[in-house]
């Protein structure tokens, strides 16, 4: 799998945590609202005005980078692209950081981010960067471009 593109999705439901004025009316705490604009929804969740209504108590997520969470007994760790099961409070914070994405396609995602299915090109990109750095060092030493005889 590769990382991230924007997905087209419809409006999602959110629960109001702190009352605020939106769309010409005051939204009270506990009220459910629908937001279709992804950036507006992300901003409201980020400042703590709303939380996603479809955020389950525990759910499965995909780690987009290595994560480490402190625990009562021992720290919880997950490597990049591993599937993890997290509680809603932990998941919301990590969703906002861009560290995880929900496995469920229907669950709210910040800015409608989505994983592309396909080949992971990370190793190829790292090899190309290493080769470019090697060529640069050779040029600095005055040896010119290195060409292998294959």
């Amino acid at each position: 799998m590769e990382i991230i593109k924007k997905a087209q999705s419809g409006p999602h439901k959110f629960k109001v945590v702190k009352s605020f004025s939106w769309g010409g009316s005051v939204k009270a705490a506990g009220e459910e609202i629908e937001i279709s604009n992804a950036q507006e929804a992300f901003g409201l969740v980020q400042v703590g005005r709303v939380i996603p209504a479809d955020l389950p108590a525990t759910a499965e997520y995909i780690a987009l980078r290595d994560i480490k969470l402190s625990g009562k007994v021992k720290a919880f760790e997950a490597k990049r692209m591993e599937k993890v099961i997290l509680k809603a409070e932990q998941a919301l914070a990590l969703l906002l950081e861009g560290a995880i994405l929900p496995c469920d396609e229907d669950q709210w995602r910040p800015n409608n981010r989505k994983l592309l299915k396909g080949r992971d090109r990370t190793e190829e990109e790292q090899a190309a960067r290493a080769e470019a750095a090697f060529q640069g060092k050779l040029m600095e030493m005055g040896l010119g471009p290195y060409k292998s005889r294959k």
Side-chain angles (χ1 to χ4, degrees):
M1 284 193 232
E2 264 192 42
I3 313 272
I4 304 177
K5 71 170 189 171
K6 293 239 180 177
Q8 298 299 324
S9 69
H12 285 278
K13 291 189 181 219
F14 295 87
K15 286 183 186 173
V16 177
V17 177
K18 297 178 187 171
S19 60
F20 65 101
S21 179
W22 182 66
S25 64
V26 175
K27 303 299 177 188
E31 187 178 340
E32 272 199 16
I33 59 174
E34 273 193 10
I35 304 174
S36 57
N37 183 333
Q39 272 124 357
E40 186 176 13
F42 178 67
L44 288 172
V45 171
Q46 204 168 23
V47 296
R49 298 279 184 209
V50 297
I51 58 171
D54 64 353
L55 194 64
T58 59
E60 191 173 35
Y61 297 90
I62 298 172
L64 299 178
R65 60 177 169 82
D66 293 352
I67 55 175
K68 186 174 184 177
L69 301 172
S70 60
K72 292 180 183 173
V73 178
K74 84 175 203 185
F76 170 79
E77 294 181 23
K79 299 286 183 203
R80 182 178 180 269
M81 299 314 260
E82 277 186 351
K83 289 188 177 182
V84 294
I85 297 175
L86 297 171
K87 293 180 181 175
E89 310 84 49
Q90 296 168 325
L92 186 57
L94 291 170
L95 276 169
L96 293 174
E97 287 177 23
I100 60 171
L101 281 180
C103 290
D104 182 8
E105 295 279 328
D106 296 328
Q107 190 176 333
W108 176 78
R109 301 152 179 265
N111 294 322
N112 287 334
R113 293 171 58 170
K114 179 179 174 179
L115 286 176
L116 291 173
K117 303 230 187 310
R119 209 171 94 223
D120 187 5
R121 293 185 179 91
T122 307
E123 289 178 12
E124 293 171 8
E125 290 169 358
Q126 287 176 346
R129 282 194 295 273
E131 178 65 23
F134 176 70
Q135 293 293 338
K137 288 187 191 236
L138 285 176
M139 293 296 276
E140 286 175 6
M141 293 173 21
L143 298 175
Y146 168 77
K147 294 183 182 171
S148 64
R149 296 180 187 177
K150 289 186 178 179

